[in-house]
Amino acid sequence: MPARAESGTESGAETGPRTFRATFAAAPLAMAVVDREGRVVTANDTLAALLGTGSGGNSLTGRIAADLVDLATDARTWHAYREVLRGRQARLRCTRRLKHPDGHSLWAQVTVSPLPEEERAVLISVSDISGRRELQARLRHLQMHDPVTRLPNRTLFFERLSAALEAEAYEESGTGRIGLCYLDLDGFKAVNDTLGHRVGDRLLAAVAERLTRCANEAGYARTATPLVARLGGDEFALLVEDSTGTEQLAELAGSVLKSLQVPFDLSGQRLSVSASIGVVERHAAGTTATGLMQAADTTLYWAKADGKGRWTLFDPERNAHRMTRQALSSTLRPAVERGEFTLEYQPLVCMEDGVLRGVEALVRWNHPQFGTLTPNRFIGLAEEDGSIVQLGRWVLATACRQARRWQLDHPDAEPIFVSVNVAVRQVWDSDLVSDVAAILAETGLAPHLLQLELTESAVMGSAGRPLQALQALSDMGVGIAIDDFGTGYSNLAYLSRLPVSVLKLDGSFVRGFQYESGDGAGVGGDGVGAPPNPADEVVVEAMIQLAHRLGLTVTAECVETAGQATRLRRIGCDTGQGWLYSRPVAPDRISALLTAAARP
């Protein structure tokens, strides 16, 4: 050991090399002096006792210091230690787990500090920090585990999930796949509300026990047992690292559902619960924790929407549709302002003489990402979020303006009416009557040249304000048509009291008798079509006769063949609409039809 004895004084003699050696030997801190080659020059008894050699510090002399305190097993620590020995690094401090001869392990903080240059040695000091580590471990356990179920909590779950998705975790060994069962209990809130949170907590703990049992059974004879965690509330997750495929996850989800079907007996309180489970299984490469949880959350929602008490596997196509739906919903309102919508018009033709009588306005969305979208892709969304009011007002104004433009551009042709679809929400959430009156006044279109179409279920269920609005519109001279008639309520008694002028037969009735023998439109082009269905014709004829007795006209939708048109005309249908006459077309094509009709 180096000494700074002050020569020539009594005190200097007392603090000479012998005193320092005695102090070193008796120090409560475990220490050793190590030469530049890494061998122990001298060590105190405290270090020998800490390491369990039992023969005092002298027994360590000449030993390789790095072996004694485990400095060589970690490449980074070994390199830093060698740098201190060579005088290129000032100090090294690290934590090592040392194996005691009696079998137990201890955590030690090892510090390597250089001595003065002339000593050509370093000082290694070792502190037993096992107690501190145990306290830290207990605190971490409390921080990372749920107090009610004693399962890993959300924080620990995401820590494990993130670690499992690290490339080094799956590239060298395992299947390279990962699976997740994400579940919550159906109706758990009712348990808390009716029986109290104490019973609810006992139920959660019991559920956790069954999930753990399912995980242990699933992990039997496999490399790893699924991690069971409580993510919060009544939400649990079972994480399967190195999964073997969807079959393994399906089997695990099935066992969980079966386990939870058995009623719970909680201190005499018998409870039955079910769970909904979202199952996701995929390659770990390219997967993120956020992406996996979003997929699991979506799939759990599907399981609940499909009826609860079941598991559902993630479906990329179904998810793509959902994502598209969300993307469309978020951009519906600004799309109207950006002018992304256009109208096409499908002719409504008199079946007796083939003359164009009107057109139905059909909205199209020219979406910048998804291309041209037909109404079935976005009208439902617009009704859900209320943007149908804004969109419907635009469609109504645009259609009326176009109908008036045709009338002005073709004064010699008989004016045609325009039929516009109206959602029930437009009646409830806006003043439809005022909107129609204002638009007709602004465009100069006569009221009788506007027809509003509502679905049968909407019209037949109308009462109060909707019925008053329909009556006011009818009194104004606007035509009211029931769309898709025959598929909804079909309350014929109520029909006689509604201000309706037109019934539009649903296309399913018309498709029932597509061809008539000998009309030349048969399948295969041989002139022999499918035989007519008498029942379909009887039903349609009865509806047409009923409508006529009530003073209504009838329009048949989806007329695609000459055979259909012939039979519909024979049983008295007034107007036809469908591909036989024309597909929905741009306004200029309707202009061309009007021009042709005006020629002598």
Side-chain angles (χ1 to χ4, degrees):
M1 282 287 294
R4 295 186 183 178
E6 296 177 23
S7 58
T9 67
E10 186 177 352
S11 62
E14 291 176 353
T15 57
R18 183 178 299 176
T19 301
F20 276 101
R21 279 195 292 272
T23 303
F24 176 79
L29 179 63
M31 294 183 291
V33 176
V34 180
D35 63 21
R36 293 292 175 87
E37 300 304 318
R39 294 184 178 277
V40 176
V41 176
T42 182
N44 62 7
D45 294 346
T46 308
L47 179 60
L50 180 67
L51 298 179
T53 61
S55 303
N58 291 334
S59 64
L60 301 178
T61 301
R63 299 277 297 273
I64 302 297
D67 294 342
L68 294 175
V69 290
D70 190 32
L71 297 178
T73 55
D74 174 39
R76 180 178 297 178
T77 302
W78 171 247
H79 174 74
Y81 171 61
R82 299 293 298 170
E83 291 294 288
V84 176
L85 288 180
R86 294 167 183 166
R88 298 174 183 172
Q89 183 171 317
R91 197 181 198 194
L92 167 65
R93 175 174 289 173
C94 60
T95 300
R96 314 305 295 167
R97 190 177 186 184
L98 306 181
K99 189 76 172 178
H100 201 275
D102 66 5
H104 81 275
S105 297
L106 62 93
W107 287 96
Q109 185 175 78
V110 179
T111 304
V112 184
S113 304
L115 294 172
E117 181 62 31
E118 62 270 17
E119 298 291 341
R120 297 187 61 77
V122 298
L123 178 67
I124 292 182
S125 57
V126 184
S127 301
D128 185 354
I129 60 170
S130 298
R132 192 196 331 168
R133 291 281 298 202
E134 289 175 5
L135 177 59
Q136 290 174 343
R138 286 198 297 271
L139 292 175
R140 174 175 168 78
H141 186 275
L142 291 173
Q143 180 186 11
M144 295 293 187
H145 286 75
D146 170 51
V148 174
T149 63
R150 301 188 180 183
L151 292 176
N153 62 13
R154 189 179 190 89
T155 302
L156 181 54
F157 170 79
F158 275 98
E159 188 176 285
R160 281 282 300 272
L161 175 58
S162 298
L165 294 175
E166 293 289 340
E168 55 266 24
Y170 58 80
E171 284 183 345
E172 295 183 1
S173 61
T175 63
R177 302 184 69 84
I178 193 164
L180 177 64
C181 291
Y182 182 37
L183 68 98
D184 75 359
L185 305 180
D186 301 323
F188 177 73
K189 184 177 183 299
V191 175
N192 272 342
D193 292 345
T194 58
L195 302 177
H197 287 273
R198 181 174 298 180
V199 175
D201 286 350
R202 278 200 230 120
L203 176 59
L204 291 175
V207 168
E209 290 180 6
R210 294 193 186 180
L211 295 181
T212 302
R213 193 180 312 130
C214 290
N216 290 336
E217 292 173 356
Y220 181 74
R222 296 183 185 271
T223 57
T225 298
L227 171 71
V228 183
R230 181 189 178 197
L231 301 189
D234 60 335
E235 297 178 356
F236 296 85
L238 291 89
L239 179 65
V240 181
E241 300 178 47
D242 290 325
S243 63
T244 57
T246 56
E247 295 82 3
Q248 180 188 1
L249 271 295
E251 182 179 343
L252 176 59
S255 69
V256 167
L257 290 179
K258 184 177 180 180
S259 174
L260 296 179
Q261 285 174 355
V262 180
F264 292 85
D265 190 355
L266 306 176
S267 302
Q269 186 77 48
R270 192 172 177 85
L271 295 175
S272 296
V273 299
S274 64
S276 299
I277 307 177
V279 178
V280 183
E281 201 280 338
R282 59 179 55 170
H283 286 288
T287 297
T288 64
T290 301
L292 187 67
M293 290 306 300
Q294 285 178 341
D297 186 61
T298 297
T299 313
L300 173 59
Y301 170 79
W302 293 343
K304 285 192 169 295
D306 292 344
K308 302 181 180 180
R310 67 189 64 209
W311 64 267
T312 300
L313 183 66
F314 180 76
D315 181 355
E317 290 187 8
R318 186 174 179 179
N319 186 59
H321 177 74
R322 181 186 69 89
M323 296 298 290
T324 302
R325 182 180 173 87
Q326 289 180 344
L328 293 178
S329 180
S330 64
T331 55
L332 253 171
R333 291 180 183 275
V336 178
E337 300 171 0
R338 289 194 297 263
E340 294 178 5
F341 291 94
T342 57
L343 292 184
E344 291 184 342
Y345 300 89
Q346 187 168 30
L348 296 163
V349 176
C350 176
M351 304 205 74
E352 188 63 37
D353 55 17
V355 174
L356 178 66
R357 297 298 186 193
V359 293
E360 179 180 356
L362 299 168
V363 64
R364 305 286 186 259
W365 186 357
N366 296 322
H367 197 281
Q369 180 181 354
F370 303 114
T372 302
L373 303 179
T374 52
N376 63 309
R377 294 289 303 276
F378 57 85
I379 290 298
L381 293 174
E383 291 179 342
E384 289 176 12
D385 67 10
S387 58
I388 189 66
V389 173
Q390 179 188 17
L391 177 59
R393 189 179 291 120
W394 177 86
V395 170
L396 185 63
T398 304
C400 289
R401 192 175 298 113
Q402 182 60 65
R404 179 58 174 162
R405 173 52 52 195
W406 283 322
Q407 187 179 9
L408 295 175
D409 290 346
H410 304 277
D412 297 332
E414 186 71 22
I416 60 174
F417 67 89
V418 62
S419 190
V420 178
N421 291 278
V422 175
V424 175
R425 190 160 183 177
Q426 288 177 256
V427 183
W428 279 108
D429 294 359
S430 68
D431 191 343
L432 182 61
V433 178
S434 296
D435 286 345
V436 170
I439 290 171
L440 291 177
E442 176 191 343
T443 59
L445 186 68
H448 74 277
L449 295 180
L450 173 63
Q451 176 176 284
L452 301 180
E453 295 187 21
L454 290 90
T455 61
E456 178 183 2
S457 57
V459 175
M460 290 299 187
S462 294
R465 180 176 175 181
L467 182 56
Q468 293 170 6
L470 294 180
Q471 188 63 58
L473 290 168
S474 178
D475 293 342
M476 192 187 301
V478 174
I480 306 296
I482 299 180
D483 196 14
D484 301 329
F485 184 77
T487 61
Y489 288 96
S490 297
N491 188 333
L492 301 181
Y494 190 50
L495 177 62
S496 64
R497 297 193 294 271
L498 289 172
V500 174
S501 54
V502 178
L503 295 186
K504 296 191 72 174
L505 294 181
D506 185 69
S508 60
F509 293 105
V510 179
R511 295 189 193 99
F513 47 97
Q514 281 198 338
Y515 305 110
E516 184 169 8
S517 297
D519 69 356
V523 178
D526 58 2
V528 180
N533 187 331
D536 287 334
E537 186 165 329
V538 168
V539 171
V540 173
E541 184 175 9
M543 287 193 290
I544 292 174
Q545 289 178 355
L546 172 65
H548 287 169
R549 285 181 176 273
L550 294 174
L552 311 177
T553 60
V554 180
T555 298
E557 300 178 304
C558 301
V559 181
E560 298 179 357
T561 69
Q564 288 173 312
T566 299
R567 296 176 63 195
L568 288 166
R569 183 168 54 251
R570 185 172 60 227
I571 60 179
C573 188
D574 302 289
T575 311
Q577 176 183 359
W579 288 3
L580 173 66
Y581 307 109
S582 174
R583 294 172 181 261
V585 293
D588 58 345
R589 295 288 300 277
I590 302 298
S591 296
L593 293 177
L594 292 171
T595 300
R599 290 173 186 158

